[in-house]
Amino acid sequence: MRKNGSTMHPRAVLAAAVLALSSALHGQAPEGWDCRFCPEAAPGDRAQLTLGFGHASDRPRFASDPLGSAASTGALGWLDGQWQHRDADGRLLRVDAAGLGLANPGLQLQDLQPGRYSLMARWQELVHQPGPAGSTPFETGEGNRLQLPPGWVAGGSPAQMSALPASLRPHRPIQQRRWLDLSAGFVPAAAWRTHADYRREERAGSRWTSGAFLTQSTWLPQPVDMTTDRLDLGAEYHAKHWLASLGYGLSLFRNAQTGLRWDNAYSPLRDGADAGELAVAPDNQAHQLSLAAHYFGHPLLRMDGSLAVGRLLQDEPLLAASVNPALLSAPPRRSAQARIDTVAAQLRGSYRVSRPLRLELRYRHQDRDTRTPSQDFVQVLTDNFLSDSRRNLPYAFRDDLLAVQADYRPRSLWRLRLGLEQERRERDAQARRRTQETRGWGEWRLRTSGPIQLSARLGYAERDGSAFEQPQDVSVQNSRQRAFNLADRERRDGRLRLEVFGSEGLHLSLQAELADEDYDASSIGLQAARHASLSAQLSGGSDATLLWLVHASHAQARLEQAGSQALALADWWAASRDLHDSYGLSLNKAGLLPRVDVQLDYAFSRSHGRIQVRNDDFPELRTRLHGLDLRAIWHWRPRLDWDLRYRYERYQDADWQYDNLSPDSLGNVLGPGTVGYNKVLHLLGLSLTYRF
């Protein structure tokens, strides 16, 4: 992957890092260190090599393993390997490689000396499709500008763009991600532990986004080229009755794109509005310094606390308000000058009052202080018209939480846990300056001497606060509108769980959950939200060679909303209901045939979504997934195993927002012309593993 003229070679970085760190560490272990809990392992070498080949009818969407998720259409070939060496003093050298030859290969190197140091380097790639395939007339030109082809004929709607049918070309948004992880841990003395972790993530490819000129919008194939670097440093000190840690975290985000400019496919609404520009994620950085401590010197008392201070910075140059030369409007300052200071603190203590009763008290404070300058910016409406100036608002908040919890266990068979907490949040430059929420809950658990365990939980929460303030622009914001995170709310929730343990490893688990939220004080906005779920799981094994699992679940969510078209009282209502069901079966049988182990996994899930506005129903949204994974491992020789695998996957969806829409189906949207996904995957693989 290339970015800003530089190229990263993950394999070379991995090898160099591990060799350098390993050579620098030898002989630095503290004398007299004794690892009492380290597992006993025989010294020597051990390795295995896997060579596989197969065929895939299509690229899968939901496989989670290296072979399934990395398969490309057609013939496949891959290589997996593992090698490790252990010295007599316990030092371990290990190399793991997986999926070499596929789309998401991985490599990991490890050097470990228990009680002295630990080194790890890992490289991983992943190719995925973040959105539906479609078609577009845009091509990426110089500076990643999205250009229309020569001879383009603009129109007031996509149907009037006479060159559109001949200019369309297929586009499948594909992104490639690469991760490089380096970590090192040291034990410089018996009471000290230190660590350093570094991760670099690179992401390149494309994704769909949209741009608009007033009411005329266009789907755009946006190029992606981003890099994130993260560094975590820490040290811990362990004493007899307490321990403390100090840490520093750094995150650096870099975007090779400074903006996305595209040609206007529509007839300009005014002279000069023949192109548009969108801001993209800007370069930014975050720093955090943290301190934590834990005390356990008293037999009845436990205490711990933490404090973290951070700073978020973003100072990228601001884009011009318009690329239309007839609407020149320079921003009031050259760059964003964005800065946010954060503070997070927590203190918790628990005390055993008596043998059956323990009390816990917790306090948490969070502060997000925005130091970004606030100025007036002239508004340009999609490169067509100048509008009134608006001031950027420095959003900030302060949050304090006080919670108390009591655990009461008079007998070994059951336990009662009660909790009460109050959270107060103050905000700057928002419609409501203060909200406070009081939450209470109770949980009862029964653990009998027999095979039954039962637990039940009930909770209640109520939120209110200060009066709502008049919005800054009453012409676009209804004064009766209530954001769901600021509005008065009542919430009730409950959970019931039953577990039964039988003979021969039989285990039954049943769980039901329900949550209900009411926003009675909101005349416009979210009115109610309800969530419910049921799940069941049954597992067991008739003998030591058979393991099986059956599971099923059902979940549903319903939201009710009130709105206003005339900035007055509510005059329309909407409701949405989402249902999701999933079922699965897993079977693992060792020795089904002589020297043959068989694994089977089947999963089925479906979802339905319905949206109703007033008395009109939108078409139903549907998805359905069938997945079957069948695997047979033949232990052919003491050192040789054959692994035969077959995977079947079928995914179907129905979405009225995209299905059966060509790029010119809508009068004010130049779309991608995507279609519903309805594909079947057959994946067959055969591999040979040799251990030596």
Side-chain angles (χ1 to χ4, degrees):
M1 182 175 299
R2 187 177 298 273
K3 181 177 185 288
N4 297 333
S6 63
T7 303
M8 184 182 75
H9 301 281
R11 296 179 180 87
V13 175
L14 283 170
V18 169
L19 290 176
L21 288 172
S22 177
S23 61
L25 283 172
H26 294 163
Q28 296 182 4
E31 297 182 1
W33 188 89
D34 181 23
C35 182
R36 294 176 296 169
F37 303 103
C38 294
E40 295 291 337
D45 295 303
R46 187 174 65 183
Q48 71 177 37
L49 188 66
T50 299
L51 178 64
F53 58 92
H55 184 274
S57 61
D58 203 343
R59 180 185 294 273
R61 294 194 67 179
F62 295 101
S64 58
D65 58 282
L67 173 59
S69 61
S72 302
T73 302
L76 306 173
W78 70 92
L79 180 68
D80 299 338
Q82 181 187 105
W83 171 84
Q84 74 173 38
H85 168 79
R86 188 180 297 274
D87 290 340
D89 61 355
R91 182 192 176 196
L92 174 67
L93 296 174
R94 179 165 176 165
V95 180
D96 291 274
L100 301 184
L102 299 176
N104 66 340
L107 177 66
Q108 178 172 308
L109 310 177
Q110 186 178 14
D111 184 356
L112 170 66
Q113 178 70 66
R116 297 184 179 182
Y117 65 86
S118 173
L119 301 174
M120 188 276 292
R122 179 172 55 196
W123 165 64
Q124 180 72 54
E125 289 190 11
L126 174 65
V127 176
H128 71 108
Q129 181 178 330
S135 56
T136 179
F138 290 95
E139 296 181 353
T140 304
E142 184 178 355
N144 285 321
R145 173 169 177 165
L146 299 180
Q147 299 176 336
L148 293 168
W152 179 260
V153 180
S157 69
Q160 298 173 358
M161 302 172 186
S162 57
L164 177 61
S167 302
L168 291 173
R169 60 182 183 86
H171 178 73
R172 181 189 295 268
I174 295 292
Q175 290 188 18
Q176 182 182 39
R177 293 190 176 190
R178 291 182 177 179
W179 292 273
L180 174 65
D181 293 289
L182 301 174
S183 76
F186 310 97
V187 186
W192 285 92
R193 305 287 188 274
T194 62
H195 73 271
D197 300 309
Y198 168 77
R199 160 168 281 204
R200 180 179 181 87
E201 177 184 352
E202 294 185 347
R203 184 169 59 177
S206 65
R207 64 185 178 190
W208 290 113
T209 190
S210 61
F213 291 87
L214 290 182
T215 60
Q216 299 171 332
S217 61
T218 306
W219 279 56
L220 304 171
Q222 178 187 357
V224 174
D225 191 355
M226 305 174 181
T227 303
T228 303
D229 293 283
R230 296 181 179 178
L231 176 66
D232 290 297
L233 304 175
E236 296 181 3
Y237 181 79
H238 296 251
K240 183 177 181 180
H241 299 303
W242 59 274
L243 62 87
S245 63
L246 179 66
Y248 169 74
L250 169 67
S251 176
L252 298 175
F253 173 79
R254 297 291 179 264
N255 193 342
Q257 314 297 329
T258 57
L260 177 64
R261 184 172 294 193
W262 77 98
D263 292 343
N264 186 5
Y266 295 88
S267 299
L269 299 176
R270 64 168 297 169
D271 294 339
D274 55 359
E277 188 174 36
L278 289 172
V280 296
D283 293 359
N284 58 79
Q285 55 183 289
H287 306 260
Q288 187 178 71
L289 185 65
S290 61
L291 175 65
H294 181 65
Y295 171 76
F296 45 88
H298 194 281
L300 303 178
L301 178 65
R302 296 289 186 272
M303 294 188 66
D304 61 75
S306 62
L307 173 65
V309 294
R311 177 164 294 178
L312 290 73
L313 300 172
Q314 192 267 100
D315 196 27
E316 285 299 287
L318 296 174
L319 296 179
S322 173
V323 295
N324 187 342
L327 299 175
L328 296 178
S329 177
R333 58 179 183 265
R334 183 196 65 83
S335 61
Q337 301 177 17
R339 170 184 159 187
I340 296 177
D341 293 337
T342 63
V343 177
Q346 178 171 283
L347 182 62
R348 180 176 57 183
S350 65
Y351 185 76
R352 183 174 293 279
V353 180
S354 61
R355 184 172 184 180
L357 179 62
R358 174 180 286 274
L359 297 178
E360 179 180 299
L361 185 66
R362 179 167 62 97
Y363 171 74
R364 186 195 68 198
H365 172 77
Q366 293 180 321
D367 191 321
R368 183 183 178 94
D369 187 10
T370 302
R371 299 296 184 92
T372 305
S374 183
Q375 291 179 269
D376 291 329
F377 288 78
V378 175
Q379 295 185 89
V380 179
L381 303 182
T382 61
D383 293 288
N384 285 280
F385 308 101
L386 291 175
S387 182
D388 296 334
S389 61
R390 294 288 297 273
R391 178 173 291 268
N392 65 300
L393 300 178
Y395 294 112
F397 73 85
R398 290 158 297 282
D399 183 88
D400 292 278
L401 172 70
L402 182 62
V404 60
Q405 177 178 301
D407 285 274
Y408 184 61
R409 183 181 292 180
R411 300 181 181 180
S412 59
L413 297 182
W414 64 273
R415 182 178 69 181
L416 180 63
R417 177 176 292 175
L418 300 175
L420 180 65
E421 56 187 47
Q422 185 173 66
E423 183 176 11
R424 179 187 176 97
R425 175 165 291 196
E426 296 181 355
R427 302 173 176 86
D428 293 339
Q430 297 193 47
R432 203 174 201 182
R433 292 188 176 274
R434 175 183 51 81
T435 59
Q436 57 189 23
E437 183 168 358
T438 302
R439 297 183 286 266
W441 54 272
E443 184 177 21
W444 176 76
R445 292 186 180 183
L446 173 67
R447 183 187 296 269
T448 68
S449 57
I452 296 178
Q453 295 186 17
L454 180 65
S455 66
R457 185 187 188 279
L458 292 175
Y460 176 81
E462 183 175 1
R463 181 175 65 202
D464 57 16
S466 60
F468 280 84
E469 300 179 0
Q470 188 74 8
Q472 185 185 45
D473 189 348
V474 296
S475 64
V476 298
Q477 174 66 53
N478 196 319
S479 61
R480 296 181 177 88
Q481 174 71 47
R482 300 291 183 262
F484 74 93
N485 65 312
L486 301 176
D488 291 354
R489 183 192 70 173
E490 287 188 56
R491 175 184 169 88
R492 296 162 291 274
D493 63 85
R495 183 185 67 220
L496 184 64
R497 182 179 179 86
L498 172 66
E499 291 187 88
V500 180
F501 297 89
S503 59
E504 297 182 346
L506 190 67
H507 178 212
L508 172 65
S509 176
L510 302 173
Q511 180 167 299
E513 293 185 273
L514 178 66
D516 181 77
E517 299 179 357
D518 290 326
Y519 299 82
D520 295 335
S522 298
S523 58
I524 297 178
L526 186 62
Q527 304 289 291
R530 295 175 178 86
H531 308 268
S533 66
L534 292 170
S535 63
Q537 180 174 295
L538 182 63
S539 62
S542 58
D543 54 47
T545 62
L546 174 64
L547 296 174
W548 56 271
L549 170 68
V550 180
H551 64 87
S553 66
H554 169 78
Q556 59 177 286
R558 181 177 178 84
L559 303 177
E560 298 176 5
Q561 174 113 2
S564 175
Q565 190 172 357
L567 295 179
L569 296 177
D571 55 19
W572 62 265
W573 292 264
S576 66
R577 186 183 183 188
D578 298 314
L579 304 175
H580 180 77
D581 298 287
S582 64
Y583 310 92
L585 168 66
S586 296
L587 181 67
N588 192 329
K589 173 62 177 175
L592 180 64
L593 298 174
R595 294 182 293 176
V596 176
D597 302 337
V598 175
Q599 301 173 9
L600 182 146
D601 287 287
Y602 171 75
F604 169 74
S605 64
R606 63 183 179 184
S607 63
H608 303 268
R610 297 178 181 176
I611 302 174
Q612 183 183 48
V613 179
R614 295 187 177 95
N615 294 321
D616 297 327
D617 289 336
F618 285 89
E620 187 178 55
L621 305 170
R622 299 190 306 273
T623 62
R624 181 168 295 189
L625 173 66
H626 285 272
L628 173 66
D629 204 333
L630 183 61
R631 189 173 185 181
I633 303 174
W634 179 26
H635 304 288
W636 183 39
R637 294 287 187 271
R639 296 179 179 270
L640 286 173
D641 292 339
W642 289 96
D643 190 341
L644 178 64
R645 179 177 174 192
Y646 169 72
R647 179 174 179 81
Y648 167 84
E649 180 184 290
R650 181 174 185 179
Y651 177 74
Q652 303 166 280
D653 63 21
D655 191 337
W656 56 269
Q657 301 175 90
Y658 306 111
D659 292 350
N660 302 318
L661 291 179
S662 62
D664 59 353
S665 292
L666 302 178
N668 62 338
V669 178
L670 177 55
T674 59
V675 296
Y677 194 95
N678 186 359
K679 291 187 178 181
V680 177
L681 164 76
H682 298 278
L683 173 65
L684 184 65
L686 178 64
S687 62
L688 176 64
T689 299
Y690 177 67
R691 294 182 297 276
F692 52 92

